[in-house]
Amino acid sequence: MSSETALAAERRARGLAPFLRSQMRNIAPFLTLIFLSGFFAFASPSFATLDNLGNILTQVSVTGIIAVGLTFVILCAEIDLSIASIANVTGIAVAYFTLQESYVNIANIPLPGAVAIILSILLCALLGLVNALGLTVIGIPSFIMTLAMMQIAAGISALLVRGQIAYKVPSLITTLGSGSIGGIPWIVIVAAIMLLGGHLVLTYTRFGRYVYMVGGNREAAEYSGLNVKLILGAVMVISAVCSGIGGMLGVAHFGSAQQNEFDTYLLDSIAAVVVGGTSLFGGRGGIGNTIVGLFVLGVLNNGLDHVNIDSFLKILIRGLILLAALVINVYAQRLRERTAE
Amino acid sequence: MPEVRSPILELQGITKSFGGVEALRGVDFALHPGEIHGLVGENGAGKSTLMKIIAGVHTEFSGRFLIDGAETHFRSARDAHAAGIAMVHQELSVAPDLTVAENVFLGNQPTNALGLVQWRRMAREAGEQLARFGIDVDPMSRLGDLPIGLQQLIEIARVLFSGARIVILDEPTSALSPPEVERLFATLRRLREQGTSIVFISHFIEDILLVSDTVTVFRNGRKVAETASSATSKGALIEAMIGRGGEALEHSYSDDLMLPQPSASRVVLKVDQLSLSRSLKDISFEARAGEVLGIYGFMGCGQQELSRILFGKLKPDAGTLLVDGTPKTFASTAAARRAGVALVPESRRDMLFHQEPVYKNISISILDRISALLLKPAQERDIAKRQVEQLQIRPPAVGLDLGMLSGGNQQKVALAKWLTYPPKLLVLCEPTRGMDVGAKNDVINIVRDLRAKGLAIIVLSTEPETVLSLADRILVLKRGAMVREFRNEPVSKDRLLEAA
């Protein structure tokens, strides 16, 4: 039986209305995206252009790279609040290991580009591992564990740059972060590849299945003989490494590495995953949802600029949209549970 | 004697049904002032349902309900409480993170004129109350830090001293040690002298005979006997509970069943001197290939903990496990699975993914056998289809979400997930609980098939029928200790009940 006929059988068994109810978490974000795009296209002639689409894609790329790992974490019904800090410290680290111009007053350690990149990735993986050990071995809830890590990573950042700004990163990172090929920015391509990779892992690998099962019912996963702690630990490391990659490319994209550069990415990444419809209770959703969520946020941020709205009001509007998405998220979960029983 | 006074509580012709199934049929029940009234009956006989009607938990029923001779109808547990009725439920319902004193005064802490809690007074009075009960604890310590038995005693103490005229205790002694039971009984007797009426539900018939004045026996939603405790015996009560000779339910298990010669096959699991804090004491036994070992005991006897230790979910305080002669200390359930142990816990909710399709539920435990890295959904579905056919799971659509299957079929899925690559040792907790007769028979046949294939199987149940219908050898657990082994000898429901 192919998955289409299974779906059809499911639909027949339940009727259309319950089927739509169970799919609400996928449908609602998509409708939101269409509605927002339509609204901004109508309100501003400069919104619905190919150029602007390119802008939106570039604007969501760093968030997208970070959100790949976060999707794994949220699918497991955990949270990672250290993503933005880890992105920041990794971006700073890669600059720290690169020879800076003479006017940059940082006592850094210049190394060959490849070594700098590898060391930086090791750093973020290590921080992810600390998150993982705190969560699984010691048993600290991820909310608190990653809150501490957020501070630790920020602390390492501060020690590395000491209030200064670094500009140079290895040339590979510069290319991927700010170059383009055939008119398409490399950073968009990297984000697309990572999102695709995340999707393939979640959908087609054994590990991906385990992630969904652990998120769907942790107790049942344990009674099925899965190594739940190992899976939870792995997603924390994946999240940290994705954040680190996002941080390195982000530094190249912005053209500088400094303290607190990524602060807004924490909320944006969580918002992208949750607005997209991935369940905060775990087990439902995926990269497809995250992509829709990224576009909702991207269109919203970009579109609000086009309609010339009070930039202070923008923040409030984003908050309200996030609240609405949370309401739908929780409500969709309840609907789904009711249909399942 | 109670007869000379009029009853404080009287129920006449109570009938209560749940979705078409009658849990109580025309039950009369009377409770007199200063009486301890014991209730016995099998699981599902209707004892707890009746008590929940009295305590205002179930408010929909037919029949007359009189308090002090006046007809009453409770709309909630709050109404019952106002009428002086209090109940200690079988499951512990305390607030583990609050102090002992706060738990004793839960919901009515003493406050001063400003509405602030009077901590010192609360601690002093809680200490005094507990001391009367023979409990010596610091009232300001956190309740959750105390042993379970002590927590249960404190909960009982809270209800007993709440000033209620009628106190209902549902299985209060299951987690208590013998001296704690003694203390509880002394307190009950003292309250009886002060005129409090007490209803006492227990599986431990000795306890009932020891402390109660009157005993009522329930069977199948009916009251089948009421007698003075002094005029009856354990044997007579068990007979009344299971209905020897007459109107047997499915089969008459009161007839003796002959257990076979003990198997001499390979020892798959050897458990030696296993202990777990208050739950298990020095448990030793063996499970052999091609044999079903039944472990019977009342709720709270330690079965659940034992099964969790075998599957690596709990770590024992002492003792060893040997699988195929190799000592094992399971660091995780994954380690137990790799060593060839499988567990089906009593709660399906705990081991199945209700929002996932049937085939993913079946394949989850064997994914590492069919795919190293990439999933093979077609193969998963084939395996699932074979299991669905073999176990006759209905409907036979492996793509349906599990939550849409009936309970019996879900239980079969829970078994199916372990059967494609059968384990060495299969541990089943309450494998037939809550199933209809057809599904029960299916499960019994599945287990017999597996035994024939040479698996070692352990069946743990609080229902004697389940153990009797499946086991070749039966161990009886009582308050965490192994008290009796039945092998190569006649066994029956009343013999099991006697032993437990």
Side-chain angles (χ1 to χ4, degrees):
Chain A
M1 199 164 24
S2 74
S3 65
E4 280 80 6
T5 56
L7 225 61
E10 186 179 336
R11 215 172 303 165
R12 266 198 311 280
R14 287 183 179 176
L16 190 61
F19 175 77
L20 285 179
R21 265 212 305 272
S22 72
Q23 293 297 315
M24 181 174 163
R25 74 168 61 261
N26 297 324
I27 297 166
F30 207 71
L31 291 180
T32 313
L33 178 60
I34 291 172
F35 169 77
L36 284 176
S37 305
F39 172 77
F40 287 123
F42 177 77
S44 156
S46 57
F47 176 78
T49 61
L50 210 56
D51 266 2
N52 196 42
L53 178 64
N55 287 339
I56 293 175
L57 286 176
T58 315
Q59 284 160 6
V60 299
S61 287
V62 174
T63 315
I65 294 169
I66 297 175
V68 173
L70 188 65
T71 306
F72 281 75
V73 175
I74 293 184
L75 279 175
C76 283
E78 296 291 345
I79 190 72
D80 188 347
L81 298 178
S82 61
I83 42 177
S85 277
I86 290 183
N88 203 359
V89 75
T90 314
I92 286 174
V94 82
Y96 184 82
F97 293 129
T98 307
L99 184 64
Q100 299 293 326
E101 305 286 356
S102 56
Y103 57 81
V104 176
N105 191 17
I106 296 177
N108 67 337
I109 308 165
L111 293 168
V115 181
I117 294 171
I118 289 169
L119 280 179
S120 305
I121 290 192
L122 282 179
L123 172 68
C124 62
L126 180 74
L127 297 180
L129 192 64
V130 174
N131 274 339
L133 294 178
L135 172 65
T136 60
V137 177
I138 306 176
I140 308 170
S142 58
F143 183 89
I144 302 296
M145 180 62 225
T146 58
L147 196 64
M149 179 53 66
M150 177 168 137
Q151 200 63 34
I152 291 167
I156 300 172
S157 302
L159 284 173
L160 289 179
V161 290
R162 297 188 165 273
Q164 303 293 309
I165 301 175
Y167 299 95
K168 284 278 226 196
V169 292
S171 58
L172 173 66
I173 300 292
T174 313
T175 309
L176 292 180
S178 55
S180 59
I181 178 169
I184 304 172
W186 270 111
I187 196 166
V188 174
I189 297 173
V190 173
I193 291 173
M194 289 192 56
L195 285 163
L196 180 67
H199 175 71
L200 294 178
V201 168
L202 280 176
T203 317
Y204 296 105
T205 69
R206 191 153 62 89
F207 174 70
R209 172 73 61 78
Y210 289 164
V211 167
Y212 278 102
M213 295 311 232
V214 167
N217 186 347
R218 189 167 297 181
E219 194 79 354
E222 208 169 327
Y223 279 119
S224 302
L226 302 193
N227 198 333
V228 173
K229 288 183 172 176
L230 190 66
I231 294 155
L232 289 178
V235 300
M236 296 315 286
V237 174
I238 290 173
S239 172
V241 170
C242 288
S243 302
I245 294 172
M248 288 193 288
L249 299 198
V251 161
H253 188 66
F254 307 138
S256 68
Q258 54 187 304
Q259 190 73 30
N260 299 340
E261 195 171 21
F262 286 84
D263 287 1
T264 58
Y265 284 84
L266 171 59
L267 189 61
D268 274 7
S269 306
I270 293 177
V273 175
V274 176
V275 168
T278 293
S279 170
L280 284 166
F281 307 99
R284 293 277 135 194
I287 297 290
N289 295 76
T290 300
I291 293 174
V292 176
L294 282 169
F295 276 112
V296 170
L297 283 189
V299 164
L300 188 66
N301 285 339
N302 177 285
L304 288 173
D305 289 340
H306 282 264
V307 294
N308 242 340
I309 206 165
D310 180 351
S311 64
F312 296 106
L313 188 59
K314 252 175 87 172
I315 304 172
L316 178 62
I317 290 177
R318 275 161 34 111
L320 291 176
I321 295 268
L322 182 59
L323 176 62
L326 288 173
V327 171
I328 291 172
N329 195 301
V330 172
Y331 190 56
Q333 180 73 17
R334 228 172 275 160
L335 279 180
R336 170 97 203 172
E337 273 165 9
R338 218 173 297 153
T339 347
E341 266 150 28
Chain B
M1 284 308 286
E3 278 76 14
V4 291
R5 285 176 277 181
S6 61
I8 182 170
L9 172 80
E10 198 172 2
L11 304 175
Q12 294 169 356
I14 300 289
T15 297
K16 162 84 187 164
S17 50
F18 294 100
V21 182
E22 287 194 329
L24 289 175
R25 303 180 226 190
V27 171
D28 297 332
F29 181 78
L31 185 65
H32 296 271
E35 176 191 37
I36 300 182
H37 197 129
L39 292 190
V40 296
E42 294 185 83
N43 294 334
K47 304 166 297 200
S48 290
T49 307
L50 185 68
M51 290 309 113
K52 283 179 178 166
I53 285 175
I54 295 175
V57 177
H58 296 320
T59 53
E60 300 282 317
F61 58 90
S62 61
R64 274 159 58 85
F65 188 119
L66 299 104
I67 288 188
D68 296 327
E71 185 140 8
T72 314
H73 188 91
F74 293 148
R75 281 174 312 250
S76 68
R78 186 175 278 271
D79 286 356
H81 200 79
I85 298 173
M87 179 163 179
V88 180
H89 292 272
Q90 199 166 351
E91 301 82 24
L92 210 57
S93 60
V94 294
D97 288 320
L98 298 186
T99 61
V100 170
E102 282 172 291
N103 270 285
V104 171
F105 282 98
L106 210 59
N108 57 350
Q109 289 113 321
T111 52
N112 64 16
L114 291 173
L116 298 174
V117 173
Q118 295 173 300
W119 280 94
R120 229 174 291 161
R121 185 177 143 208
M122 185 164 79
R124 192 185 62 238
E125 290 181 7
E128 285 167 8
Q129 282 196 8
L130 294 175
R132 276 202 281 161
F133 206 43
I135 304 173
D136 179 29
V137 292
D138 174 8
M140 297 312 282
S141 60
R142 185 177 162 276
L143 188 80
D145 295 336
L146 304 176
I148 292 287
L150 206 48
Q151 293 185 32
Q152 193 171 16
L153 272 180
I154 290 169
E155 185 182 2
I156 294 170
R158 176 185 75 200
V159 172
L160 291 183
F161 292 120
S162 66
R165 299 186 296 156
I166 299 173
V167 177
I168 302 165
L169 302 170
D170 193 354
E171 293 289 351
T173 59
S174 55
L176 300 183
S177 65
E180 286 166 347
V181 171
E182 269 313 304
R183 239 179 287 160
L184 173 66
F185 287 175
T187 311
L188 294 184
R189 292 193 186 100
R190 204 157 58 230
L191 284 168
R192 170 177 60 188
E193 263 132 51
Q194 293 162 11
T196 307
S197 307
I198 295 163
V199 182
F200 187 93
I201 302 178
S202 182
H203 282 301
F204 296 104
I205 292 170
E206 298 95 330
D207 288 354
I208 295 263
L209 289 174
L210 202 63
V211 76
S212 57
D213 306 305
T214 317
V215 191
T216 294
V217 183
F218 280 82
R219 184 170 78 234
N220 248 352
R222 288 206 174 86
K223 182 164 104 177
V224 291
E226 179 171 354
T227 158
S229 303
S230 49
T232 187
S233 68
K234 185 173 180 183
L237 287 176
I238 289 177
E239 207 174 299
M241 271 167 67
I242 62 182
R244 184 185 286 279
E247 48 163 335
L249 318 170
E250 294 152 35
H251 310 281
S252 172
Y253 286 108
S254 44
D255 293 333
D256 283 351
L257 194 87
M258 190 64 195
L259 291 175
Q261 283 278 352
S263 154
S265 59
R266 187 168 50 87
V267 174
V268 174
L269 172 80
K270 189 169 160 51
V271 171
D272 197 29
Q273 302 278 310
L274 206 63
S275 294
L276 178 73
S277 62
R278 287 174 62 99
S279 304
L280 294 171
K281 290 180 272 296
D282 292 338
I283 304 288
S284 304
F285 64 91
E286 291 170 350
R288 289 170 185 273
E291 184 194 51
V292 179
L293 175 65
I295 298 183
Y296 171 75
F298 298 137
M299 185 129 13
C301 69
Q303 283 178 345
Q304 201 171 345
E305 290 79 5
L306 178 60
S307 67
R308 299 311 189 263
I309 291 173
L310 295 181
F311 194 54
K313 201 158 187 302
L314 278 180
K315 282 179 191 46
D317 299 333
T320 50
L321 289 181
L322 285 91
V323 178
D324 278 343
T326 323
K328 299 276 182 189
T329 45
F330 297 132
S332 66
T333 57
R337 178 172 65 89
R338 277 193 299 273
V341 181
L343 170 72
V344 179
E346 56 289 315
S347 154
R348 291 185 286 267
R349 182 163 291 276
D350 284 350
M351 84 161 306
L352 294 172
F353 303 88
H354 288 250
Q355 301 188 15
E356 299 286 352
V358 169
Y359 81 91
K360 289 189 187 176
N361 272 286
I362 292 179
S363 66
I364 182 70
S365 303
I366 53 161
L367 274 184
D368 49 354
R369 302 232 191 196
I370 54 181
S371 64
L373 177 67
L374 295 181
L375 294 171
K376 294 174 187 154
Q379 203 178 334
E380 282 179 53
R381 282 168 176 275
D382 283 345
I383 286 174
K385 264 187 230 168
R386 240 176 295 144
Q387 294 293 349
V388 162
E389 255 164 53
Q390 248 169 33
L391 305 188
Q392 296 175 358
I393 294 170
R394 294 285 172 267
V398 296
L400 273 188
D401 279 1
L402 181 95
M404 299 174 68
L405 270 56
S406 70
N409 281 300
Q410 290 186 12
Q411 182 74 14
K412 288 188 198 171
V413 172
L415 270 168
K417 63 195 285 185
W418 295 116
L419 300 188
T420 310
Y421 296 96
K424 291 175 193 157
L425 172 70
L426 181 61
V427 182
L428 304 171
C429 299
E430 305 289 359
T432 59
R433 186 197 282 171
M435 297 175 96
D436 61 50
V437 181
K440 257 183 200 173
N441 280 334
D442 286 351
V443 168
I444 289 172
N445 287 332
I446 294 166
V447 172
R448 292 200 174 134
D449 273 1
L450 294 173
R451 175 180 63 184
K453 283 182 188 154
L455 264 70
I457 300 169
I458 298 179
V459 172
L460 301 105
S461 181
T462 56
E463 296 167 2
E465 292 89 345
T466 308
V467 179
L468 288 170
S469 59
L470 286 167
D472 301 316
R473 193 154 62 85
I474 299 174
L475 301 173
V476 179
L477 263 184
K478 184 177 186 178
R479 293 190 171 126
M482 209 60 97
V483 290
R484 174 86 158 83
E485 176 176 356
F486 291 93
R487 60 156 79 200
N488 192 22
E489 65 187 293
V491 63
S492 62
K493 198 157 145 182
D494 41 4
R495 283 179 209 238
L496 277 184
L497 287 166
E498 288 254 14

